Amino acid sequence: MRTEREPYRTRAVQNASRTEGVPMAEQPAPIPAERLEFALPPVFETVEEEREHRKERLAGALRLFAELGFEEGVAGHLTARDPEYSDCYWVNPFGRSFTRVAPEDLLLVDGDGRVVRGGQRVNQLAFAVHAAVHRARPDVVAVAHTPTVHGRALAALGEGIAPLTQEACAFYEDHAVLDEYREPPDCGLIARALGGRKALVLRGRGLLTVGDSVDAAAWWLVSMERAAQVQLLARAAGKPLAVDHRSALATRERFGTDLAGWVNFQPLRQRPASTS
C-alpha cells in the first residue's frame, strides 16, 4: 500500500542518483574568529568619557526597569560609582519616574548622602543602603535595588534562588538571604550580609544586585527576578528538581561572571525604552 510520503522519498532517491559522480561545490572557507565582531565592555581614554558612559547606561537601565515593571512609587534605585571621585555615586533623583530619567537628570551624591551635583533631592534612606554597599565593596561599580514582584515574594518566604535552571545557576553560592527586616534599614547589616557576593535577597524588600559595570548589575537584577518567578511557578506546579552541586558550580563559572552579565544585558539595552 503506497502512502502519501512515498513520492517524496522516491524523488529524493532520484535526485541522489542524478548527483552520483558529480563533484560537490567547494565549501566556503570559515571566517577567522578574530575578524568576527563581538561586543565587549568599552575602554575609555578619559575620566570624562567614562563618566558620561556610566550615566548614559544608568539612565537607560532605569527606563528599561520601568518597561519591565520594576518601578513602584518612589522606591527603587540604581547607583553608579563616579570614575574619578570614588566615594561619590550617580543616582536617580527622588520622585522622578524611571521612564523620564535622562543622563542629565542624575544626581552625584557623596557617601554621606549629600548632593554635590544636580538640582533635586535624593531619597536619603534608600541611598544610604547603596552607599554602604559601595563603601564595603570598592570593586563594585553599580548597585541595583528595585521592588520587583517575584523577588519580594521569594523574600517573603525567606528563600534564596535555587539552582533550577541554567540562568538560576549563575547565582549558585553567590548570593545570600537576609531574613531580617528593620525599619529604617540597617545599612551596615545589609552590606555585611552581601559580603563578596553579587546578590542579596532582602526580607520585606526584595532583591539587590551589584556588578563591576552598570550593565552587569542591571542584568543580575533582571535575571534574578526571572529566576525567582520560575522558582515560584515550579513550586506551585509540583516538586522542582534542582541541578546537582557540581553542575551548578560549573554553570556559574561559565555564566555567572560580570562579563557574562554585561554581554547578556546588551540585547535588553537595545530596546527602544532604554535607548530613547
Side-chain angles (χ1 to χ4, degrees), residues 10-269:
T10 302
R11 292 190 194 105
V13 172
Q14 291 173 347
N15 291 334
S17 64
R18 293 193 189 113
T19 59
E20 290 180 3
V22 178
M24 295 185 63
E26 185 176 349
Q27 294 298 307
I31 300 173
E34 60 271 15
R35 289 172 51 191
L36 299 175
E37 292 186 5
F38 185 79
L40 289 171
V43 177
F44 304 95
E45 295 184 359
T46 68
V47 168
E48 290 75 18
E49 288 180 359
E50 188 169 9
R51 176 179 294 123
E52 291 307 308
H53 176 81
R54 290 186 184 182
K55 291 172 65 178
E56 182 271 326
R57 291 301 176 93
L58 193 154
L62 287 167
R63 293 193 297 271
L64 176 67
F65 284 175
E67 180 186 345
L68 296 175
F70 292 179
E71 182 178 21
E72 188 165 314
V74 299
H77 294 79
L78 178 59
T79 53
R81 189 188 304 272
D82 186 83
E84 182 176 8
Y85 310 111
S86 60
D87 194 34
C88 291
Y89 315 94
W90 295 97
V91 62
N92 47 302
F94 184 80
R96 175 66 64 92
S97 169
F98 288 1
T99 62
R100 299 184 59 193
V101 175
E104 58 269 22
D105 299 318
L106 298 172
L107 309 175
L108 185 62
V109 184
D110 69 17
D112 295 322
R114 298 170 297 192
V115 177
V116 296
R117 289 187 187 175
Q120 295 181 264
R121 291 183 179 272
V122 65
N123 185 332
Q124 292 195 344
L125 280 177
F127 177 80
V129 173
H130 288 246
V133 172
H134 277 292
R135 284 177 162 179
R137 292 283 301 277
D139 59 309
V140 162
V141 167
V143 179
H145 176 46
T146 62
T148 63
V149 172
H150 301 96
R152 283 180 291 175
L154 196 69
L157 297 172
E159 293 184 11
I161 299 295
L164 303 181
T165 65
Q166 175 178 287
E167 294 76 18
C169 287
F171 300 94
Y172 186 67
E173 295 189 348
D174 198 20
H175 75 291
V177 177
L178 180 56
D179 193 18
E180 180 178 345
Y181 180 88
R182 295 184 185 180
E183 188 59 46
D186 186 329
C187 303
L189 177 64
I190 292 172
R192 291 191 298 273
L194 176 67
R197 307 171 187 89
K198 66 166 163 279
L200 185 64
V201 180
L202 292 158
R203 181 179 174 187
R205 292 188 166 89
L207 310 178
L208 180 147
T209 60
V210 302
D212 66 4
S213 67
V214 172
D215 294 31
W219 170 253
W220 296 134
L221 189 76
V222 173
S223 185
M224 198 175 192
E225 165 66 8
R226 291 173 173 173
Q229 182 180 10
V230 169
Q231 185 168 326
L232 293 167
L233 288 171
R235 281 186 52 189
K239 184 178 180 180
L241 300 177
V243 175
D244 66 88
H245 171 73
R246 182 176 179 181
S247 296
L249 282 178
T251 304
R252 187 196 71 195
E253 292 304 305
R254 174 171 291 185
F255 300 109
T257 66
D258 275 347
L259 177 58
W262 185 95
V263 170
N264 272 296
F265 190 67
Q266 300 317 296
L268 286 179
R269 191 183 65 79

